[in-house]
Amino acid sequence: MTVGGRARPLGGVALPNRRLVLRWLRRQALRLADAHGRSVPPPAPWLGVRDVRPVAFHGSDAPEALRAWVGDDGSQDHALSALESGLPALLTVVDPFVGLRVTLGAWPVDLWGWAAEASADHPSPPRPRTEGA
């Protein structure tokens, strides 16, 4: 979240796979959108995951943008593809009434060092030879 040019983290969690990460991002987007003008929905019961802190939006554009992202299959596919490619999945909404910018993001991380261990145990196959080409 950025307010007045300063960034402040709202919270986060580490999850073991991309689908759970995307599920968490969708839930957080809906929690923030649904809290617009009301109290914040209760925390997630599954996996004991920590939810992000609530944000008070002053206009309705940001909450509607969050809901639209959650409901757009193309956006979900793009976010999942980004994570599968090792890139972050980011969603930023802006509340221009107060200069509030909220970014929900997910970054792929190797929680247990499995990727490094797997590549050490299983070196890449040799490149095919292209003699005479």
Side-chain angles (χ1 to χ4, degrees):
M1 172 176 78
T2 305
V3 179
R6 294 188 334 237
R8 297 183 57 188
L10 296 174
V13 66
L15 295 168
N17 69 54
R18 292 177 290 273
R19 296 219 180 263
L20 286 178
V21 168
L22 195 56
R23 180 179 173 185
W24 185 83
L25 282 175
R26 284 192 308 260
R27 184 174 196 313
Q28 299 315 305
L30 287 176
R31 281 185 77 248
L32 292 174
D34 290 347
H36 179 63
R38 295 180 281 231
S39 61
V40 178
W46 57 279
L47 295 179
V49 171
R50 294 176 295 157
D51 287 326
V52 297
R53 289 181 294 175
V55 173
F57 293 111
H58 296 273
S60 62
D61 291 347
E64 289 309 313
L66 290 167
R67 284 188 192 92
W69 181 82
V70 170
D72 181 19
D73 291 338
S75 294
Q76 304 305 305
D77 291 342
H78 179 72
L80 196 56
S81 294
L83 292 170
E84 288 171 349
S85 299
L87 300 171
L90 302 171
L91 164 65
T92 299
V93 295
V94 178
D95 186 348
F97 294 103
V98 291
L100 174 69
R101 177 184 307 263
V102 175
T103 300
L104 291 175
W107 289 262
V109 294
D110 186 5
L111 295 176
W112 297 281
W114 290 347
E117 184 179 313
S119 59
D121 291 342
H122 306 292
S124 301
R127 291 184 158 189
R129 296 180 66 175
T130 56
E131 293 179 61

